[in-house]
């Protein structure tokens, strides 16, 4: 898959809080006030009544909801941070409740999509909130830690929570994180493959390392490709106001997808 | 520059080292300040260094506060702190309590009074914080009733391994990775030597920093002492922050007081207290910030939540506000603001959390960004979530605690939430808890065609509506609300007047 020269990985640009996306301070000057740009760019393109949105329909931003699930400490926040800002820390503060983040991805033909990432607390008791946060998700990324067998064994619980709430209307993604710690591995790659193949609407399963920055871009590339915009028969019919916006359809052929 | 600040921290560090395994040396740490008081020297060190006076990184990678903004604020705030310290010394002296030297921490404070309350709201000197929190929260009463209990639990749980300890173990290093006492690798980074890797194996982890070992003991002891709670994520932040200001034993007892009296059941297995308090907060938002309620008081489908529905179906914004309660604003606001709220919390109780939660909501609402971003007609999940992101990121930028506290309490120029009394919060909590219990019972029973109207009404919730109005009435009858009501009436009448004049 060859990316057009104009669009490289750099096109993974976080619009949300520019100063965060670029700690060095060279934040893209989207708006005079950094705070304002947190909110405004999205609204220009969001699915407001026609008068609110831009005339050019191809610029209307499609939004997708992606929830991150999995046991405590498997690296959900780390995965998101790597994707959002391309940085890594040895430790992240535990997530309490839910953290909401967004990232705009630029794809081929000036096509942009906005991913709303729901980072969740892993501890079991927080699951009493879960149904409400799995609702209407387009993608559920369920994570485990390859050095922690228990987190792999618990995938079943997470998967059934998702299926219960979303049925088949969701793309299930299984991620085995911390693949850099191969010497401490408790779950083999084969086990992941067996599990991945056994789940009906799980087309994506892979091992990642947020520390070594391994497979993270590939992961999101695969996800972007399998989203309804590229694959029109996927669900989400129940949210017409956000998903059914007509966009100049280019069937997402293998090579038209642009990201390195 | 680095040299100086390093010496500053190694000094603190050696004091921390005094937390021995069996915490018998505790008395030694009580009368000595872990924190240096603010003077020219310490201010300079903070301005030139990377860490604040509590050992937190001044600027974290994903925060929008820069070193410059921090220093601009802190230069001014340091002056304010010195002035406050003088006032506190005067207060103590006028109450016959001696403050001998810079380093002495008073163990007793003046009894509660309006004057003390005012002083507390303007902030307790950092180096006295632990002692004052403990004193005003009733720590001594608790401790005197349970002499030696903490040490015994620590001994009993020393080699304990269960579900809770597993989860605790995973959270220890994820408590304050940006604090030098909790994350040793930050210290070596400061020397200019490469940071140590995080300890990977269990054995290595046992040898982690003294603060991590203290945190482990407190959390394990707590889980053992309060089995109905066990360990809940966010307790690590609460215990961690306490440990920066007081000994293990005292941290333990304040954690007990917090979870027993101030935010009961918030950390329990089913998080029932979180749901209850979110219900209370939502009713408060509806009452006090109706314009915000009109935006957020909806389901993700855009369905407006009528009064009787609020508690069955908490609005999605509670996904944001729940963590405000669970971690009592740790990680939600900049640390100095958190500490100022905690000063008030231990003295005034749980109403403080509601008052500040409302203050945050209103501050968000009034910001230009929120006004511009407000979803118009359609109010779908994806749009609401953009607002939630704002409500999560915006509070982190509120660096000046004085503005926050003034907004909360000032009647003129602020929101005047000081008028929300503990009595009202208690009543409302009781009401919400009762309603939720009813709903639970109801969901367990099914309406069947043979029931009479009375029985059906009980199940379909007509009574719930009545109960909601009861809550509102109890607010209306309060003297404190006169102001609020008269303002409302004034507005209503002026609107009517202007309408009629148009006609």
């Amino acid at each position: 898959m060859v990316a057009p020269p104009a669009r490289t990985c750099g096109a993974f640009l976080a619009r949300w809080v520019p100063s965060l996306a670029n700690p060095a301070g060279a934040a893209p000057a989207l708006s005079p006030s950094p705070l304002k740009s947190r909110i405004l760019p999205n609204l220009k393109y969001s699915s407001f009544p026609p008068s609110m949105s831009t005339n050019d329909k191809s610029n209307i931003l499609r939004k997708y909801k992606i929830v991150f699930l999995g046991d405590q400490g498997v690296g959900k926040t780390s995965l998101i941070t790597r994707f959002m800002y391309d940085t890594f820390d040895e430790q992240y503060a535990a997530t309490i409740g839910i953290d909401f983040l967004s990232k705009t991805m630029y794809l081929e033909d000036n096509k942009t999509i906005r991913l709303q990432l729901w980072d969740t607390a892993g501890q079991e008791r927080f699951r009493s909130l879960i149904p409400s946060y799995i609702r209407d998700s387009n993608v559920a990324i369920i994570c485990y830690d390859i050095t922690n067998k228990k987190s792999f064994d618990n995938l079943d619980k997470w998967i059934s929570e998702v299926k219960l709430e979303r049925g088949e209307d969701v793309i299930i993604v299984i991620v085995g994180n911390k693949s850099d710690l191969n010497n401490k591995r408790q779950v083999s790659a084969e086990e992941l493959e067996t599990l991945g193949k056994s789940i009906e609407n799980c087309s994506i399963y892979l091992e990642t390392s947020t520390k070594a920055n391994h497979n993270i871009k590939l992961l999101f590339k695969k996800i972007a490709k399998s989203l309804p915009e590229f694959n029109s028969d996927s669900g989400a019919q129940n949210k017409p106001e956000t998903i059914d916006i007509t966009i100049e359809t280019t069937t997402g052929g293998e090579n038209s997808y642009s990201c390195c | 520059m680095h040299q100086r600040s390093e010496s500053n921290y190694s000094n603190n560090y050696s004091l921390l080292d005094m937390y021995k395994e069996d915490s018998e040396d505790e008395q030694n740490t009580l009368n000595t300040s872990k924190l240096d008081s603010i003077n020219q020297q310490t201010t300079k060190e903070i301005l030139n260094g990377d860490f604040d006076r509590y050992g937190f990184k001044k600027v974290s990678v994903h925060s929008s506060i820069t070193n410059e903004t921090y220093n601009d604020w802190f230069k001014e705030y340091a002056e304010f702190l010195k002035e406050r310290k003088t006032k506190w010394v005067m207060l103590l002296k006028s109450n016959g309590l001696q403050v001998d030297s810079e380093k002495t921490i008073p163990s007793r404070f003046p009894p509660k009074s309006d004057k003390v309350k005012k002083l507390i709201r303007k902030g307790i000197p950092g180096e006295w914080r632990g002692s004052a929190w403990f004193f005003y929260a009733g720590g001594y009463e608790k401790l005197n009733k349970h002499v030696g209990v903490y040490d015994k639990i620590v001994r009993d749980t020393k080699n304990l391994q269960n579900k809770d300890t597993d989860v605790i173990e995973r959270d220890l290093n994820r408590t304050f990775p940006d604090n030098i006492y909790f994350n040793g690798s930050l210290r070596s980074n400061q020397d200019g030597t490469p940071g140590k890797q995080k300890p990977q194996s269990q054995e290595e982890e046992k040898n982690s920093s003294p603060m991590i070992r203290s945190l482990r003991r407190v959390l394990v002891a707590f889980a053992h002492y309060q089995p109905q709670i066990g360990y809940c994520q966010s307790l690590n932040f609460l215990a961690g922050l306490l440990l920066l200001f007081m000994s293990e034993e005292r941290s333990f007892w304040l954690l007990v007081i917090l979870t027993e009296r101030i935010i009961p059941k918030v950390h329990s297995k089913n998080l029932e207290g979180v749901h209850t308090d979110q219900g209370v907060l939502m009713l408060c938002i509806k009452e006090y910030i109706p314009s915000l309620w009109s935006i957020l008081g909806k389901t993700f489908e855009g369905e407006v939540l009528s009064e009787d529905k609020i508690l069955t179906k908490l609005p999605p914004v509670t996904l944001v506000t729940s963590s405000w309660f669970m971690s009592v604003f740790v990680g939600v606001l900049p640390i100095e603001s958190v500490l100022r709220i905690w000063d008030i919390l231990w003295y005034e109780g749980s109403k403080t959390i509601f008052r500040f939660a409302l203050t945050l909501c209103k501050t968000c609402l009034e910001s230009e960004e929120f006004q511009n971003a407000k979803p118009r007609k359609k109010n779908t999940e994806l749009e609401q979530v953009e607002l939630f992101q704002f409500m999560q990121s915006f509070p982190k930028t509120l660096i000046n605690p004085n503005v926050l506290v003034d907004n909360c309490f000032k009647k003129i120029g602020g929101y005047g939430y000081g008028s929300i009394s503990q009595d009202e919060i208690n009543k409302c909590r009781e009401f919400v808890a009762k309603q939720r219990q009813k709903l639970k019972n109801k969901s367990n029973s099914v309406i069947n065609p043979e029931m009479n109207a009375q029985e059906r009404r009980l199940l379909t919730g007509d009574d719930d509506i009545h109960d909601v109005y009861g809550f509102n009435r109890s607010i209306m009858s309060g003297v404190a609300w006169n102001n609020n009501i008269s303002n409302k009436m004034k507005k209503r009448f002026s609107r009517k007047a202007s309408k009629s004049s148009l006609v």
Side-chain angles (χ1 to χ4, degrees):
Chain A
M1 206 184 323
V2 182
R7 299 221 166 247
T8 60
C9 320
F12 276 94
L13 193 105
R15 282 232 186 150
W16 189 258
V17 194
S19 57
L20 300 190
N22 202 338
L30 288 171
S31 127
S33 141
L35 274 179
K36 203 176 274 181
S37 56
R38 284 179 189 183
I39 288 280
L40 287 182
N42 328 327
L43 289 168
K44 261 187 245 156
Y45 305 112
S46 58
S47 51
F48 285 147
S51 58
M52 286 293 298
S53 51
T54 72
N55 295 326
D56 184 2
K57 277 199 163 182
S58 63
N59 272 346
I60 295 173
L61 201 57
R62 279 196 177 202
K63 296 181 183 178
Y64 298 95
K65 172 175 169 185
I66 303 183
V67 287
F68 288 74
L69 306 167
D71 280 11
Q72 171 211 23
V74 297
K76 300 181 287 294
T77 304
S78 175
L79 191 68
I80 290 174
T81 311
R82 180 57 96 177
F83 173 58
M84 292 280 296
Y85 317 119
D86 202 14
T87 59
F88 173 80
D89 286 325
E90 286 291 342
Q91 292 297 341
Y92 292 92
T95 307
I96 305 302
I98 297 182
D99 269 352
F100 298 99
L101 297 108
S102 294
K103 177 155 167 139
T104 305
M105 272 176 94
Y106 296 83
L107 307 171
E108 95 285 3
D109 297 340
N110 278 334
K111 198 172 280 174
T112 53
I113 56 171
R114 189 160 174 84
L115 305 181
Q116 287 188 339
L117 313 174
W118 294 43
D119 188 10
T120 66
Q123 200 189 358
E124 203 170 341
R125 66 184 70 182
F126 285 87
R127 287 193 207 177
S128 68
L129 297 165
I130 286 185
S132 67
Y133 58 73
I134 297 177
R135 276 188 67 259
D136 293 333
S137 51
N138 301 103
V139 182
I141 301 183
I142 309 176
C143 310
Y144 69 96
D145 170 357
I146 68 149
T147 70
N148 177 354
K149 184 76 166 66
K150 212 173 134 199
S151 70
F152 182 78
D153 295 339
N154 280 340
L155 288 177
D156 279 347
K157 280 190 214 161
W158 293 107
I159 293 164
S160 53
E161 300 255 18
V162 172
K163 292 220 160 165
L164 194 70
E165 187 65 31
R166 297 289 290 134
E168 304 301 311
D169 296 337
V170 66
I171 300 161
I172 293 180
V173 178
I174 312 276
V175 172
N177 195 29
K178 310 196 187 176
S179 65
D180 54 292
L181 301 173
N182 204 26
N183 54 335
K184 288 184 181 140
R185 180 187 281 277
Q186 291 180 0
V187 183
S188 70
E190 290 73 41
E191 283 174 275
L192 169 61
E193 206 183 323
T194 314
L195 178 76
K197 280 184 179 156
S198 73
I199 302 164
E200 224 170 288
N201 45 339
C202 170
S203 52
I204 305 166
Y205 47 89
L206 78 175
E207 289 191 351
T208 60
S209 165
T210 49
K211 188 173 180 177
N213 200 4
H214 177 240
N215 269 354
I216 308 290
K217 273 181 188 137
L218 180 71
L219 170 69
F220 284 94
K221 191 167 101 181
K222 283 187 169 192
I223 290 169
K225 236 178 128 177
S226 57
L227 288 170
E229 186 183 74
F230 296 95
N231 183 2
S232 52
D233 55 52
S234 294
Q237 290 93 338
N238 53 343
K239 291 201 67 72
E241 71 278 12
T242 52
I243 302 296
D244 276 359
I245 300 162
T246 14
I247 290 193
E248 323 292 330
T249 24
T250 42
T251 43
E254 275 283 301
N255 295 326
S256 60
Y257 184 78
S258 71
C259 196
C260 61
Chain B
M1 257 157 33
H2 270 253
Q3 211 56 35
R4 226 180 292 138
S5 51
E6 174 59 17
S7 70
N8 175 28
Y9 287 110
S10 55
N11 180 27
N12 282 342
Y13 194 67
S14 65
L15 286 161
L16 278 164
D17 273 330
M18 293 168 92
Y19 295 140
K20 288 282 149 51
E21 290 292 326
D22 51 10
S23 72
E24 265 163 22
D25 283 349
E26 199 205 304
Q27 286 309 311
N28 296 333
T29 59
L30 285 187
N31 299 318
T32 339
S33 173
K34 278 197 269 171
L35 270 180
D36 291 320
S37 53
I38 289 293
N39 54 38
Q40 233 179 342
Q41 170 77 11
T42 47
T43 304
K44 217 170 143 189
E45 279 165 4
I46 290 163
L47 289 174
N48 292 331
D50 294 333
F51 295 90
D52 70 12
R53 63 192 298 224
Y54 317 107
F56 288 99
K57 271 191 195 162
K58 277 156 58 179
V59 180
S60 73
V61 186
H62 304 301
S63 121
S64 46
I65 292 173
T66 62
N67 192 47
E68 210 179 2
T69 17
Y70 185 94
N71 282 354
D72 281 349
W73 160 73
F74 189 71
K75 259 179 236 162
E76 215 173 281
Y77 198 69
E79 291 308 309
F80 169 78
L81 289 177
K82 277 185 247 172
E83 177 201 307
R84 297 323 303 168
K85 177 80 180 273
T86 319
K87 300 253 178 185
W88 273 90
V89 172
M90 274 161 54
L91 173 81
L92 261 68
K93 283 189 175 151
S94 71
N95 278 272
L97 299 163
Q98 277 308 304
V99 188
D100 304 327
S101 74
E102 266 270 288
K103 278 275 171 188
T104 319
I105 301 177
S107 56
R108 290 177 52 226
F109 290 84
K112 290 188 174 182
S113 69
D114 277 354
K115 188 169 182 196
V116 176
K117 189 168 85 182
K118 262 187 199 155
L119 241 71
I120 297 250
R121 286 183 181 181
K122 290 197 167 181
I124 300 168
E127 58 276 27
W128 293 2
R129 224 164 221 146
S131 190
W133 288 354
F134 196 74
F135 180 86
Y136 286 116
Y140 284 104
E141 288 85 339
K142 197 90 188 167
L143 190 57
N144 292 338
K145 269 190 220 150
H146 299 88
V147 180
V149 169
Y150 176 72
D151 286 345
K152 188 179 179 310
I153 303 174
V154 169
R155 275 198 304 277
D156 291 349
T157 57
K158 203 165 180 184
N159 297 312
L160 191 73
Q161 254 197 324
N162 58 29
K163 216 178 169 188
D164 284 327
T165 60
D166 281 354
V167 187
I168 290 170
E169 225 36 68
R170 293 187 159 264
D171 271 0
L172 291 175
N173 287 316
R174 306 198 304 147
T175 299
F176 291 129
D178 60 338
N179 185 289
I180 204 160
Y181 301 113
F182 286 86
N183 182 354
S185 68
L186 293 173
R187 191 181 311 278
S188 27
N189 281 338
Q190 216 190 4
D191 293 337
T193 54
K196 263 192 295 176
Q197 291 281 301
K198 129 194 121 145
Q200 302 278 359
S201 72
Q202 286 271 317
E203 299 81 59
E204 277 174 283
E205 245 174 65
K206 297 271 184 221
N207 298 324
S208 45
S209 76
M211 199 53 118
I212 294 287
R213 292 202 297 272
S214 295
L215 182 63
R216 175 185 291 118
R217 284 189 294 267
V218 171
L219 291 177
V220 170
F222 180 84
H224 183 79
Y225 185 76
Q226 302 275 50
Q228 72 286 9
I229 293 175
Y231 174 69
C232 176
Q233 291 194 297
S234 71
L235 288 175
N236 58 325
F237 297 125
L238 304 176
L241 194 62
L242 289 168
L243 281 168
L244 284 172
F245 293 92
M246 62 190 80
S247 70
E248 266 179 60
E249 186 179 34
R250 288 173 170 228
S251 298
F252 173 83
W253 289 115
L254 275 201
L255 202 57
V256 170
I257 288 172
L258 184 72
T259 51
E260 271 180 357
R261 295 184 203 157
I262 303 178
I263 39 173
K265 293 189 183 159
V266 160
H267 299 91
S268 67
K269 297 246 154 81
N270 56 6
L271 306 184
E272 186 51 34
V274 179
H275 299 304
T276 307
D277 282 352
Q278 295 322 296
V280 175
L281 180 66
M282 291 305 116
L283 292 173
C284 286
I285 291 179
K286 189 167 183 292
E287 175 70 20
Y288 298 111
I289 324 177
S291 52
L292 183 63
W293 180 253
S294 67
I295 301 166
L296 298 174
K298 292 174 182 168
T299 64
F300 273 145
E301 293 84 8
E303 179 201 346
V304 181
L305 287 164
S306 58
E307 275 189 66
D308 58 321
K309 291 246 178 82
I310 298 172
L311 306 174
T312 6
K313 228 179 183 178
L314 285 171
V317 69
T318 54
L319 293 174
V320 174
T321 52
S322 294
S323 67
W324 297 359
F325 286 73
M326 299 192 74
S327 62
V328 198
F329 301 110
V330 176
V332 174
L333 288 163
I335 197 67
E336 191 67 36
S337 301
V338 176
L339 294 170
R340 289 283 298 277
I341 295 177
W342 281 40
D343 287 346
I344 304 166
L345 175 76
W346 299 112
Y347 185 96
E348 298 193 41
S350 64
K351 63 186 174 193
T352 310
I353 305 177
F354 292 92
R355 288 167 169 179
F356 278 96
L358 284 170
T359 304
L360 281 189
C361 287
K362 189 143 185 186
T363 310
C364 284
L365 176 72
E366 287 185 348
S367 71
E368 205 188 316
E369 296 80 17
F370 191 97
Q371 289 303 325
N372 290 331
K374 212 160 57 183
R376 314 286 145 134
K377 275 181 191 159
K378 284 193 181 174
N379 192 353
T380 61
E381 165 167 0
L382 294 163
E383 263 127 57
Q384 281 201 35
V385 168
E386 304 275 334
L387 275 190
F388 297 169
Q389 289 183 18
F390 176 73
M391 290 181 73
Q392 282 185 332
S393 57
F394 185 65
K396 294 190 171 77
T397 66
L398 302 172
I399 194 172
N400 191 343
N402 285 337
V403 174
L404 191 73
V405 174
D406 282 352
N407 273 345
C408 180
F409 291 109
K410 275 203 171 157
K411 285 185 189 128
I412 300 162
Y415 309 144
Y417 292 143
S419 60
I420 301 170
S421 74
Q422 189 64 54
D423 200 39
E424 274 147 0
I425 293 294
N426 292 347
K427 266 191 213 156
C428 193
R429 268 177 161 174
E430 208 177 297
F431 160 78
V432 173
K434 228 194 229 162
Q435 288 304 108
R436 287 189 55 86
Q437 192 53 50
K438 255 198 226 172
L439 293 165
K440 239 182 246 167
N441 296 343
K442 199 192 293 178
S443 65
N444 291 337
S445 46
V446 196
I447 301 177
N448 75 55
E450 273 144 55
M451 285 176 167
N452 63 32
Q454 169 79 25
E455 283 167 332
R456 277 191 207 194
R457 210 178 53 231
L458 273 170
L459 286 178
T460 49
D462 287 350
D463 285 342
D464 305 352
I465 301 174
H466 177 79
D467 285 350
V468 174
Y469 284 126
F471 160 70
N472 279 339
R473 237 181 274 139
S474 79
I475 283 184
M476 307 287 265
S477 61
V479 180
W481 298 99
N482 285 348
N483 223 349
N484 184 28
I485 294 162
S486 64
N487 281 340
K488 269 191 190 166
M489 295 306 271
K490 262 183 223 160
K491 263 189 207 163
R492 204 163 285 172
F493 278 119
S494 68
R495 238 181 272 149
K496 268 188 192 160
S498 60
K499 262 188 201 159
S500 59
S501 70
L502 280 173
V503 174

